[in-house]
Amino acid sequence: MTAANGDRPLRADARRNRDLVLASAMRLLSDASSGGGGSPTLDAIAKDAGVGIGTLYRHFPTREALVEAVYRNELTAVCDAAPALLDELAPVDATRAWMDRYIDFMIAKQGMADALRAVIASGGNPYAHSRDLLGSAIRLLLDAGAADGAFRKDVDADDVLVSISGVALVAGGPSMREQAGRLLDLLLDGLRYQP
């Protein structure tokens, strides 16, 4: 990981502070739109992270830069989970576990909707590489499932992405989590190879 200007890698303490700010911002931005009050100030995020406001600004010079970094950090974590899950679980189980992680990501993204709209209004594009990253993660899971005979070989990763996103949009709230799980199980059944 490099410094904000990209010149040199971050020291361990700077990386830790950056990670603390990202985690606090994610939690507070998501809580704000789920009934936790108004959008949190940068001061509130720094205080929650246990760092000074100067530390926050060194890593994220604007609110929009922070919001975009939070979104990309969460997206990367979801996509990076695919190979890790395949190391631990059979492809079918890894795919189902990944689907749950993606639903959690989509719920968090919904919680950050106002903040993400502000990033876009300021000229940023937090979604620039989202579809490619997510498609690659899904393709990895589908290929592993097809290789062991569990999944059909004719499934398009983008179709699966759109399907999971649809589940998140219609049943992504905490009160609908059980229904979201059932819908993901139906989707998983559609991926299975049937001779």
Side-chain angles (χ1 to χ4, degrees):
M1 181 168 302
T2 60
N5 62 13
D7 291 343
R8 60 190 181 331
L10 290 175
R11 294 183 332 251
D13 61 329
R15 186 173 45 250
R16 183 188 66 246
N17 287 341
R18 183 181 189 280
D19 292 344
L20 288 169
V21 169
L22 287 171
S24 290
M26 177 66 196
R27 185 176 55 261
L28 294 176
L29 287 166
S30 295
D31 287 350
S33 53
S34 63
S39 187
T41 64
L42 293 180
D43 284 328
I45 292 169
K47 182 177 179 181
D48 185 75
V51 302
I53 190 68
T55 298
L56 184 147
Y57 278 117
R58 265 192 302 284
H59 293 287
F60 310 104
T62 65
R63 179 180 188 79
E64 291 77 18
L66 174 59
V67 170
E68 188 165 352
V70 167
Y71 171 80
R72 289 178 190 237
N73 189 58
E74 294 300 309
L75 174 69
T76 299
V78 168
C79 293
D80 287 351
L85 288 167
L86 285 169
D87 286 343
E88 299 170 15
L89 302 168
V92 171
D93 297 329
T95 301
R96 183 59 175 81
W98 189 89
M99 288 177 172
D100 280 329
R101 287 181 188 219
Y102 181 67
I103 293 288
D104 291 340
F105 166 74
M106 289 294 290
I107 292 169
K109 188 180 106 177
Q110 290 170 7
M112 294 175 54
D114 290 340
L116 287 166
R117 279 192 285 278
V119 170
I120 294 166
S122 73
N125 183 3
Y127 307 122
H129 303 289
S130 299
R131 198 170 196 121
D132 291 339
L133 292 171
L134 289 163
S136 294
I138 293 169
R139 181 82 266 148
L140 180 71
L141 293 162
L142 293 175
D143 288 348
D148 87 345
F151 288 159
R152 299 165 33 180
K153 294 181 180 182
D154 64 341
V155 178
D156 184 278
D158 197 52
D159 291 345
V160 175
L161 175 58
V162 170
S163 298
I164 302 170
S165 299
V167 169
L169 289 174
V170 299
S175 65
M176 301 178 78
R177 202 67 169 134
E178 190 176 315
Q179 183 179 29
R182 290 193 309 268
L183 293 170
L184 292 176
D185 289 340
L186 285 172
L187 176 57
L188 193 64
D189 283 346
L191 299 176
R192 294 180 195 271
Y193 172 73
Q194 298 174 2

